Amino acid sequence: MRTTIEREPVAVDAGTQALVLISSLRSPLSLIPESAFENLLVVSTTRSPTKIEQLVRDRGGDPNKVGVVPVSGSPVDYDGPMWTGSVVHPNDLSGIHQQFSTGMNYVKPGEGWVVFDNVNVLLMYAEPSGVYQLVESVATQTRDRRASGAFALVRDAVADSTYDRFRGLFDTELDQREP
């Protein structure tokens, strides 16, 4: 069941954490408002920093105002203007959290944004309970900093029980799936 059908950019108040339901292969970076690119931290499980930089530029953002925590099973080579944390393997949930916490130092309270580009990827590499704890911690830290949060989930790729558990972590849910 779809809760809300949004066609406008994902816009949430400072401190609000949103579960953003997306279609497979869609980037939540294409859904956030332009103002989010003024101070943005991306936990990226699906795109390299180079591709994120291109998405930021395509949306008219300044890559110097964006940070990335790259989550990948492969080495990542990036030497560009974005702050980039160390690459973390998708099954290293504590490493992801550590890099996220470092990146949060650059997120301005009441102004910044955090985008977690795809929770599903972590569910393929780690136990759901561990992924849940990571997402809960990231959402809590983001909320405590009064930053806006958008956590992408491909709804059609998770069981109802997993979806129900994760949706309880968020202040709102925005359905951005394409019909």
Side-chain angles (χ1 to χ4, degrees):
M1 183 172 120
R2 295 182 183 190
T3 304
T4 306
I5 297 176
E6 291 276 336
R7 296 297 173 232
E8 297 295 317
V10 170
V12 295
D13 294 333
T16 299
Q17 305 310 297
L19 178 62
V20 181
L21 304 180
I22 60 172
S23 301
S24 183
L25 304 178
R26 187 160 191 200
S27 171
L29 294 176
S30 67
L31 303 172
I32 59 176
E34 289 180 19
S35 60
F37 294 100
E38 291 298 311
N39 184 238
L40 173 65
L41 177 61
V42 181
V43 178
S44 181
T45 62
T46 61
R47 287 172 177 73
S48 70
T50 301
K51 288 183 180 179
I52 292 171
E53 180 184 341
Q54 188 58 54
L55 277 167
V56 169
R57 290 183 188 282
D58 290 349
R59 293 286 317 273
D62 178 356
N64 289 297
K65 297 178 179 181
V66 176
V68 179
V69 174
V71 180
S72 176
S74 304
V76 173
D77 185 27
Y78 178 75
D79 185 26
M82 297 185 303
W83 173 85
T84 306
S86 299
V87 179
V88 187
H89 194 276
N91 69 358
D92 183 2
L93 302 179
S94 61
I96 295 168
H97 189 267
Q98 181 180 13
Q99 290 299 310
F100 166 77
S101 294
T102 300
M104 279 299 283
N105 291 320
Y106 300 98
V107 176
K108 296 176 185 171
E111 296 178 33
W113 273 75
V114 169
V115 171
F116 202 115
D117 82 352
N118 196 318
V119 174
N120 298 67
V121 172
L122 297 184
L123 291 168
M124 292 188 291
Y125 287 90
E127 290 296 320
S129 60
V131 176
Y132 177 87
Q133 289 175 345
L134 171 67
V135 172
E136 178 182 40
S137 180
V138 169
T140 298
Q141 280 185 261
T142 304
R143 185 180 290 115
D144 289 349
R145 195 157 189 99
R146 294 197 61 250
S148 300
F151 294 72
L153 181 76
V154 179
R155 171 63 185 100
D156 302 328
V158 296
D160 290 346
S161 59
T162 302
Y163 163 70
D164 288 341
R165 186 169 186 208
F166 276 92
R167 73 189 286 201
L169 295 174
F170 300 96
D171 305 310
T172 190
E173 177 181 297
L174 304 171
D175 193 335
Q176 293 286 336
R177 294 177 287 180
E178 296 171 357

